[in-house]
Amino acid sequence: MIQFDLLTLAFATGLASIVSSSVMLVLWRINRDIAGVPQWTLSVLLSTGAFFASALRDVIPGPEFLSMLLSNTLSTCSVLVALEGCLRFRGFSRPHSVRYLLAAAALILLINWLLRDDMRARLLTIDLISFSGFVTIVVVMLRQLKNRAERMVYALPALFAAFPAAGIAIRWVDALDAHGAQSIAELATGNLIFLTGMIYIMGWTFSLTVACYYRAEQKIAHLAREDALTGLPNRRSIDEMLDRFLREAGRYKLPFGVVMVDMDDFKLFNDQYGHSFGDAVLKCVAQRLKVFQRDADFVGRLGGDEFVLIVNDVPTPEAARSLLRRLLHDVSGPVDIKGRLIEIKPSLGIALWPEDGSTADELLQVADKRMYAFKASKGEASA
């Protein structure tokens, strides 16, 4: 077995720990709103604390087992906190996770205390917990990846979590065979954990920085296509989706309809009750449109009080009229907003592909024209 100079590895690992802790603190300050980042930062700080608790045991006076107790507890808890960060980052976190972490920390501390005089038993137990944590991190980061970019980005932290898992597994097997060993230094792989730890903490920090950058870019791209008020796709997304529907319709000859939705008396709501009241009305309409929308359909806010609904499988004018009747029924009706009961009354217009147009502009113009004709007919009926 290759032996590494312990002093050199310890110095390099300590330096790597300090650099990684500094980077993670900056990363946390910048990306505090990203789920998992606070836990990842705490994990690196715990790992750094564990290293120095172990490295300074010959410098700081006191019982040696206290240094071991602190080092082992901090390092194992670091893995569990890193796992919690990964679960939160990937959206797999469960309620009361903080309680579970505190309970796990207490259990780890108790195990270290009970096995303080038996290095072999302590390693076999604690290393198994750490190994399980790192393997779970790999699984979590590689689960349910949506595209190639996610596979590339999230494979990095999984890769660097695999390094300490491998080192721990090798040391575990070594400890299993070392019946007479009284200290880690007596194990054939005693120094290997320093090497894998150094690779882990540097690579882990780098990979988390990449993951946070990717998540931030995703958020920016999402906001660029989302209406800030209603949460619906905005005009840019509507144009992109219309182009997609047109391409698929041309390729597979699938008819679809473009529906324009406009609110009656919306200006009156703003003038009488204020713009915040009007915003609440728009949110209510958006929610009703989302409920009406099927999985294959699309709904977005064009601007002001106008919405667009793109509906699959509208082959005939009769199917279009039936669609409008159902939509009018589901969107219309009373709603209580800030203690005031108002009636939501939309006007609708639909254009069908390919009868009414073959381009996005043509379909939107026809739907808009019919929507205003519908609004005018209601005015004439009320007069």
Side-chain angles (χ1 to χ4, degrees):
M1 177 63 65
I2 298 175
Q3 294 291 324
F4 302 97
D5 179 70
L6 179 60
L7 182 61
T8 302
L9 285 176
F11 177 79
T13 304
L15 188 60
S17 299
I18 294 173
V19 171
S20 296
S21 296
S22 302
V23 171
M24 287 304 302
L25 286 171
V26 174
L27 191 68
W28 168 72
R29 289 288 296 176
I30 297 173
N31 300 283
R32 281 178 291 182
D33 58 328
I34 297 180
V37 172
Q39 288 74 28
W40 285 339
T41 304
L42 177 59
S43 170
V44 171
L45 293 176
L46 288 173
S47 182
T48 300
F51 168 78
F52 282 104
S54 175
L56 299 178
R57 64 186 176 189
D58 296 327
V59 178
I60 301 175
E64 184 176 333
F65 76 86
L66 289 180
S67 173
M68 173 277 300
L69 190 70
L70 182 60
S71 176
N72 286 358
T73 302
L74 289 178
S75 62
T76 310
C77 288
S78 168
V79 179
L80 299 182
V81 174
L83 173 58
E84 175 64 19
C86 292
L87 288 169
R88 295 193 181 206
F89 184 79
R90 297 301 317 282
F92 301 136
S93 184
R94 297 180 178 180
H96 311 301
S97 57
V98 175
R99 296 180 185 177
Y100 298 144
L101 284 174
L102 291 176
L107 178 62
I108 292 166
L109 183 62
L110 178 62
I111 292 173
N112 277 297
W113 172 261
L114 294 176
L115 301 177
R116 62 188 182 278
D117 296 325
D118 190 339
M119 184 274 298
R120 180 172 174 269
R122 189 174 67 249
L123 283 183
L124 291 176
T125 306
I126 297 301
D127 277 3
L128 185 60
I129 297 174
S130 297
F131 174 80
S132 301
F134 280 122
V135 170
T136 308
I137 286 174
V138 174
V139 173
V140 168
M141 294 306 294
L142 295 180
R143 278 193 64 192
Q144 300 178 11
L145 302 179
K146 299 176 183 177
N147 51 53
R148 182 183 178 187
E150 282 196 357
R151 288 192 291 272
M152 293 174 60
V153 171
Y154 298 156
L156 275 177
L159 171 65
F160 287 110
F163 275 97
I168 289 171
I170 294 172
R171 189 174 73 172
W172 193 88
V173 173
D174 193 14
L176 190 64
D177 294 334
H179 295 281
Q182 298 298 317
S183 67
I184 295 177
E186 295 180 32
L187 298 177
T189 56
N191 298 343
L192 179 62
I193 203 68
F194 280 102
L195 180 63
T196 57
M198 182 177 63
I199 296 173
Y200 161 69
I201 200 165
M202 292 296 288
W204 179 252
T205 305
F206 169 76
S207 63
L208 296 185
T209 304
V210 173
C212 287
Y213 174 79
Y214 176 73
R215 181 62 62 86
E217 287 293 306
Q218 281 185 312
K219 185 176 181 180
I220 293 172
H222 180 70
L223 291 175
R225 290 171 170 79
E226 181 183 277
D227 175 56
L229 176 64
T230 63
L232 293 176
N234 58 16
R235 177 60 188 264
R236 177 178 176 180
S237 294
I238 292 172
D239 291 339
E240 292 175 351
M241 190 57 65
L242 260 176
D243 288 339
R244 176 181 168 185
F245 268 80
L246 286 167
R247 288 195 304 271
E248 292 183 356
R251 184 179 305 146
Y252 303 110
K253 307 302 178 186
L254 300 174
F256 69 92
V258 178
V259 183
M260 291 285 293
V261 182
D262 180 87
M263 296 296 301
D264 297 346
D265 304 322
F266 180 71
K267 186 176 183 302
L268 185 63
F269 295 146
N270 276 336
D271 292 342
Q272 286 189 348
Y273 308 122
H275 289 282
S276 62
F277 189 93
D279 290 345
V281 173
L282 292 175
K283 290 179 183 178
C284 177
V285 174
Q287 182 58 38
R288 292 183 178 183
L289 288 172
K290 284 190 218 178
V291 172
F292 180 84
Q293 171 193 10
R294 299 173 303 179
D295 290 341
D297 298 338
F298 173 86
V299 62
R301 184 187 178 196
L302 193 60
D305 61 335
E306 291 186 333
F307 298 85
V308 171
L309 184 67
I310 308 176
V311 186
N312 268 300
D313 193 22
V314 189
T316 64
E318 177 55 37
R321 287 190 289 269
S322 175
L323 168 69
L324 291 183
R325 285 193 297 269
R326 289 186 285 109
L327 179 58
L328 187 63
H329 175 270
D330 287 2
V331 176
S332 302
V335 61
D336 188 314
I337 297 179
K338 298 183 177 181
R340 298 180 184 273
L341 190 65
I342 65 164
E343 189 77 17
I344 292 179
K345 295 179 287 186
S347 291
L348 312 175
I350 188 169
L352 302 181
W353 180 92
E355 295 92 330
D356 298 319
S358 58
T359 67
D361 288 339
E362 289 174 349
L363 291 171
L364 288 172
Q365 288 174 6
V366 172
D368 189 63
K369 182 178 178 180
R370 289 176 178 169
M371 182 266 293
Y372 277 105
F374 181 84
K375 187 186 292 285
S377 67
K378 288 197 294 184
E380 293 173 0
S382 62

